[in-house]
Amino acid sequence: MTTYNKPPLTFQQQVELLKSRGLEITDEQRAIRHLTNISYYRLSAYMLPFKIRENGQYTDQFITGTKWENIHALYVFDRKLRLLVFDAIERIEIGLRTQIIYQLSLKYGSHWHDRSDIFKLSSKYSKRTGKTITTDIFHDLQQHIQTLLVSNHAEVFIKHYKARYDEPVTPPSWMSVETLYFSHLSKICENLRQRADRVAIASRFDLPPEIFCSWLHTINNIRNICAHHGRLWNRTIDVVPEKLHVSKSNVKIWITEPERVKRSKIYYFLCMINYLLQTVNPTSDFKNRLSKLLYDYPNVALWEMGFPKHWQRETMWKID
């Protein structure tokens, strides 16, 4: 272990440092303008693909011919990819909320979220922390809703319910669930006590419940990355989704050789999104917009995103 002693640098000094490491910067004022609005540290993640590697490690030196425009273009590509993915997740999230409310309300009534008996406790061991984490989704839901009921910033429909009704204390599920985070929705699906309840929701998306719940966890992870403007394009996904070998739907299209795709890379995630959109938004132009984005940035290394060589031959990615 050593002591960190790197000094802060002015924007001009940052430019000089990059030039000393072999980066070509012809328009210094433009580069400074970018650095003024996008921090050097954030951009440093997009510099790595353009740096020389020795003994499997990146050095500080750039590959000969690397220009500032190459780094900035990769950053812009990632931003556009993030916005595209976040928009698609929004569609899926709204569809998921609807199915949770619909399926559970019809079976258990308007206030199913007040029934602890329909949920189970779940425990998972984390290899990273070495701890066992127990999830009590019923407690989490009640705590979240109770907090909203006393909040000055609650949705208008929550305030209306509180002002008009004494019982039950919590609003009906079609109000309460609208206030939940995606992580709540994911945990609800996983922690329903009756498998039949999990099946009822998952089957709407033509997925087995185990795979469906796994995909929701991954989507929640990527959603958080997008919401915090994190790097997405070549990320190795921490919450690896379960493999769908084949779709049992006669209508929805899945990739032909999922066993040859790395589930820890963003390509598999994009395939998941495409598949789920076929339920919640069958006329979605997601695949068209993705194809155009990749066309507009031909220098992006698709292999780093997990794209197979002939991915465009897959039926699910054919342009309408």
Side-chain angles (χ1 to χ4, degrees):
M1 299 291 286
T2 58
T3 301
Y4 186 89
N5 58 6
K6 293 182 180 180
L9 302 177
T10 66
F11 296 126
Q12 183 63 54
Q13 289 173 326
Q14 291 172 20
V15 168
E16 295 303 324
L17 177 63
L18 291 170
K19 290 173 65 176
S20 72
R21 292 175 174 178
L23 182 63
E24 296 181 15
I25 303 177
T26 55
D27 188 340
E28 291 191 10
Q29 290 306 308
R30 184 169 184 262
I32 289 175
R33 189 164 64 250
H34 290 154
L35 288 167
T36 301
N37 295 292
I38 313 166
S39 74
Y40 181 103
Y41 186 76
R42 177 175 288 274
L43 283 170
S44 65
Y46 302 93
M47 298 178 189
L48 289 180
F50 302 102
K51 289 191 172 182
I52 296 172
R53 291 173 65 101
E54 291 180 357
N55 301 318
Q57 300 293 322
Y58 288 108
T59 67
D60 288 332
Q61 295 300 309
F62 288 93
I63 298 169
T64 301
T66 301
K67 298 177 173 58
W68 173 260
E69 288 75 15
N70 300 133
I71 296 166
H72 185 255
L74 183 57
Y75 170 81
V76 173
F77 165 79
D78 193 44
R79 178 179 177 274
K80 291 181 178 181
L81 176 66
R82 208 162 45 236
L83 291 171
L84 176 62
V85 167
F86 202 52
D87 177 67
I89 290 176
E90 177 194 357
R91 304 295 186 97
I92 294 167
E93 180 174 347
I94 291 172
L96 174 61
R97 284 183 197 276
T98 301
Q99 283 303 307
I100 290 174
I101 294 168
Y102 182 78
Q103 299 293 344
L104 298 181
S105 295
L106 288 182
K107 184 172 181 179
Y108 298 110
S110 61
H111 286 71
W112 54 263
H113 52 288
D114 289 340
R115 291 185 53 174
S116 61
D117 62 303
I118 72 170
F119 300 105
K120 62 180 180 179
L121 295 177
S122 66
S123 298
K124 286 186 178 180
Y125 176 75
S126 171
K127 291 182 179 180
R128 184 172 61 86
T129 63
K131 297 180 180 179
T132 298
I133 302 172
T134 300
T135 298
D136 185 345
I137 186 58
F138 174 74
H139 174 269
D140 292 347
L141 293 180
Q142 292 297 311
Q143 187 176 54
H144 177 83
I145 296 168
Q146 293 297 333
T147 299
L148 285 179
L149 288 171
V150 298
S151 172
N152 292 326
H153 305 291
E155 294 281 0
V156 172
F157 56 83
I158 298 293
K159 293 179 179 178
H160 171 76
Y161 180 87
K162 182 181 178 182
R164 185 166 182 177
Y165 301 99
D166 295 318
E167 293 292 336
V169 174
T170 63
S173 58
W174 40 86
M175 294 183 189
S176 296
V177 173
E178 285 295 333
T179 71
L180 300 182
Y181 304 135
F182 194 98
S183 59
H184 289 134
L185 305 179
S186 174
K187 290 174 183 177
I188 286 174
C189 292
E190 182 182 31
N191 293 290
L192 288 167
R193 186 178 298 277
Q194 298 295 325
R195 190 174 190 276
D197 295 338
R198 301 194 297 276
V199 169
I201 298 170
S203 62
R204 164 63 180 158
F205 299 89
D206 289 297
L207 287 169
E210 294 75 18
I211 292 177
F212 180 64
C213 291
S214 168
W215 284 17
L216 292 183
H217 289 325
T218 302
I219 292 172
N220 182 59
N221 176 251
I222 297 298
R223 185 188 186 281
N224 289 340
I225 291 170
C226 292
H228 292 90
H229 322 298
R231 174 180 49 83
L232 189 62
W233 77 282
N234 67 340
R235 179 179 291 273
T236 297
I237 298 173
D238 294 327
V239 184
V240 180
E242 292 290 336
K243 183 192 302 179
L244 176 64
H245 292 280
V246 63
S247 172
K248 295 182 179 180
S249 169
N250 296 323
V251 180
K252 298 184 179 68
I253 304 169
W254 182 236
I255 48 178
T256 54
E257 297 181 297
E259 65 279 353
R260 301 184 64 177
V261 176
K262 291 183 178 179
R263 289 178 287 120
S264 60
K265 303 303 289 184
I266 198 66
Y267 173 72
Y268 189 85
F269 180 80
L270 295 172
C271 292
M272 288 167 42
I273 294 296
N274 188 336
Y275 185 80
L276 292 169
L277 284 173
Q278 292 174 56
T279 293
V280 300
N281 189 15
T283 60
S284 169
D285 62 350
F286 173 77
K287 62 181 179 181
N288 295 13
R289 293 167 64 194
L290 177 64
S291 293
K292 185 180 185 305
L293 178 62
L294 298 177
Y295 177 82
D296 290 344
Y297 292 85
N299 295 325
V300 172
L302 295 185
W303 65 269
E304 291 201 52
M305 301 172 69
F307 277 75
K309 187 175 182 180
H310 302 296
W311 69 276
Q312 289 174 307
R313 295 180 184 176
E314 286 282 358
T315 303
M316 82 168 341
W317 291 116
K318 286 185 178 179
I319 303 300
D320 298 330

